[in-house]
């Protein structure tokens, strides 16, 4: 019987380093790059960021799908995705520190009023603004998984009053845990700075909407590094313009690249970044994915098995 054949498919990732990795570490694996499938019946595993709808379902001997990213919404949005096949996301993969840096930058930038000082600097204006001690500043982290828990813990170490929202309760030192729709009310009502790092699922799609912005204390900040599909862009612009929110730092958008006509580009109180909160660190991502591939082949449980019943 022929050995394993891995299909690589991504519209953003260069296949070359992955091909070199498998050639070096698993020379027995045949590496094919989409769209050069060869005989679809040969393909046993898929390593995917995005692949056109229906392709995975057309592979009769596919055993497992590995995501090149921490999220899998871009894979399972294919209506024909073979839901019975095991799907594994990238857990951390060297992204965690970068995600935390990004979130901390956003929180600290707004907390320390750096945009106001920059505007004063432009006017050569020497003026102290009133400071807030971090213990008097509540930061709400939506999503307390691999990334959110690290963000929350590090914000707590900096002395912020940190609260978190997740599907199941969490015990993280210095972080008050809220869950479900009932917990969401108090969580949002206290979140002067809201950090969103949820996965995109049927339940979280469009969650950053007018209703949510209205439940925040008012005049605070949003740091959004989850997925574009969480955000209702027009609601955000309205919340900013009405002063419901003072500032937003956004890494992900409903349409990427962000269209030239989006009002977010030149909104004076929005910082736009082009989906760079975390960029794949090849060595860490490579070892996480190769390790998972090897575990799966040995019949051991890989990390990051996606539970499609909850969507992440
Ligand atoms: P995890 O699966 O480890 O964590 C997800 C968290 O969200 C968990 O705490 C989970 O709750 C919570 N959650 C999920 N659904 C709900 C819900 N309906 N209500 C309340 N809480 C919910 O994911 P990661 O931390 O690894 O990644 C999170 C997301 O980050 C990815 O899905 C991806 O979209 C995004 N991302 C963005 C990047 C960027 O560059 N901007 C880069 C990489 C990822 P529980 O703990 O109870 O399961």
């Amino acid at each position: 019987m022929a050995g394993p054949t891995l299909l690589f498919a991504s519209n953003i990732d260069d296949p070359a380093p992955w091909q070199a990795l498998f050639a070096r570490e698993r020379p027995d694996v045949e590496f094919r790059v989409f769209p050069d499938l060869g005989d679809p019946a040969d393909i046993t595993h898929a390593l995917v960021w995005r692949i056109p709808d229906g392709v995975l379902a057309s592979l009769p001997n596919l055993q497992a799908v590995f995501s090149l990213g921490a999220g899998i919404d871009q894979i399972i949005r294919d209506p024909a995705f073979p839901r019975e096949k095991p799907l594994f996301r990238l857990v951390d993969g060297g992204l965690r520190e970068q995600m935390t840096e990004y979130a901390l930058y956003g929180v600290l930038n707004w907390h320390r009023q750096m945009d106001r000082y920059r505007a004063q600097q432009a006017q050569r204006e020497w003026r102290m603004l009133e400071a807030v001690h971090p213990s008097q500043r509540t930061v709400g982290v939506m999503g307390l998984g691999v990334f959110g828990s690290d963000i929350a813990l590090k914000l707590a170490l900096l002395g912020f009053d940190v609260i978190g929202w997740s599907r199941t309760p969490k015990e993280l030192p210095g972080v008050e845990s809220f869950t479900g729709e009932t917990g969401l009310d108090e969580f949002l009502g206290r979140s002067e700075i809201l950090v969103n790092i949820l996965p995109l699922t049927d339940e979280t799609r469009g969650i950053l909407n007018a209703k949510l912005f209205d439940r925040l204390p008012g005049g605070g900040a949003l740091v959004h590094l989850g997925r574009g599909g969480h955000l209702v862009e027009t609601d955000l612009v309205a919340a900013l313009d009405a002063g419901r929110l003072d500032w937003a730092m956004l890494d992900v958008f409903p349409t990427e690249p962000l269209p030239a006509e989006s009002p977010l580009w030149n909104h004076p109180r929005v910082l736009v970044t082009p989906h760079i909160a975390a960029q794949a660190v090849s060595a860490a991502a490579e070892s996480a994915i190769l390790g998972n591939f090897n575990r799966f082949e040995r019949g051991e449980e890989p990390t990051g098995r996606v539970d499609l019943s909850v969507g992440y």
Side-chain angles (χ1 to χ4, degrees):
M1 199 184 123
T5 299
L6 178 69
L7 176 66
F8 179 96
S10 174
N11 54 338
I12 52 171
D13 302 276
D14 178 4
W18 295 97
Q19 190 150 21
L21 172 77
F22 275 87
R24 196 173 63 240
E25 303 290 338
R26 289 294 307 263
D28 57 314
V29 175
E30 187 169 337
F31 193 95
R32 292 190 191 161
V33 179
F34 183 81
D36 296 325
L37 286 179
D39 181 354
D42 294 343
I43 291 161
T44 51
H45 303 73
L47 179 53
V48 176
W49 173 250
R50 268 297 284 153
I51 190 165
D53 289 356
V55 176
L56 292 173
S58 75
L59 307 174
N61 295 316
L62 184 66
Q63 295 169 20
V65 180
F66 299 88
S67 174
L68 281 158
I72 47 79
D73 50 285
Q74 74 286 355
I75 297 175
I76 63 168
R77 74 181 186 195
D78 172 0
F81 177 78
R83 298 177 70 87
E84 71 287 359
K85 307 281 182 200
L87 169 63
F88 302 98
R89 69 189 195 88
L90 177 60
V91 176
D92 183 5
L95 305 181
R96 179 169 23 197
E97 289 84 356
Q98 298 175 70
M99 296 296 274
T100 298
E101 279 173 2
Y102 186 96
L104 261 53
Y105 178 89
V107 169
L108 291 172
N109 183 74
W110 186 78
H111 171 66
R112 296 304 304 259
Q113 310 182 75
M114 289 304 171
D115 284 8
R116 292 198 167 91
Y117 284 117
R118 192 176 295 275
Q120 288 187 188
Q121 182 182 344
Q123 303 300 321
R124 298 172 186 264
E125 184 183 358
W126 182 276
R127 184 161 65 94
M128 285 178 181
L129 301 172
E130 199 181 327
V132 175
H133 193 270
S135 62
Q136 301 304 309
R137 184 79 85 195
T138 304
V139 186
V141 181
M142 293 182 96
L144 290 176
V146 173
F147 299 138
S149 59
D150 194 56
I151 292 168
L153 286 169
K154 289 183 177 150
L155 285 167
L157 285 176
L158 289 176
F160 287 98
D161 175 41
V162 185
I163 59 179
W165 186 66
S166 47
R167 219 166 42 84
T168 54
K170 296 279 171 281
E171 277 186 35
L172 297 169
V175 181
E176 198 177 336
S177 161
F178 292 89
T179 58
E181 198 42 48
T182 38
L184 189 59
D185 231 12
E186 182 178 348
F187 169 81
L188 291 175
R190 285 175 51 192
S191 295
E192 209 178 350
I193 304 177
L194 184 68
V195 176
N196 174 47
I197 182 58
L198 287 166
L200 184 62
T201 67
D202 289 346
E203 285 182 26
T204 65
R205 188 176 303 279
I207 193 167
L208 298 178
N209 60 25
K211 224 175 106 203
L212 177 142
F213 298 136
D214 284 346
R215 290 155 89 183
L216 296 172
L222 170 70
V223 178
H224 172 41
L225 65 166
R227 275 286 184 267
H230 291 140
L231 180 68
V232 182
E233 191 180 315
T234 47
D235 288 4
L236 173 65
V237 173
L240 284 161
D241 291 345
R244 298 289 310 145
L245 270 174
D246 181 57
W247 185 75
M249 175 161 152
L250 311 167
D251 189 50
V252 283
F253 303 87
T255 305
E256 293 180 11
L258 184 63
E261 63 276 14
S262 168
L264 295 172
W265 277 118
N266 53 7
H267 197 289
R269 286 179 284 116
V270 173
L271 178 53
V272 167
T273 56
H275 201 147
I276 47 73
Q279 290 164 286
V281 176
S282 46
E286 283 173 14
S287 85
I289 286 177
L290 182 69
N292 251 3
F293 180 89
N294 289 337
R295 274 191 287 277
F296 182 79
E297 278 228 298
R298 288 196 298 261
E300 296 163 15
E301 184 58 26
T303 59
R305 173 88 185 241
V306 173
D307 177 355
L308 287 174
S309 70
V310 289
Y312 67 99

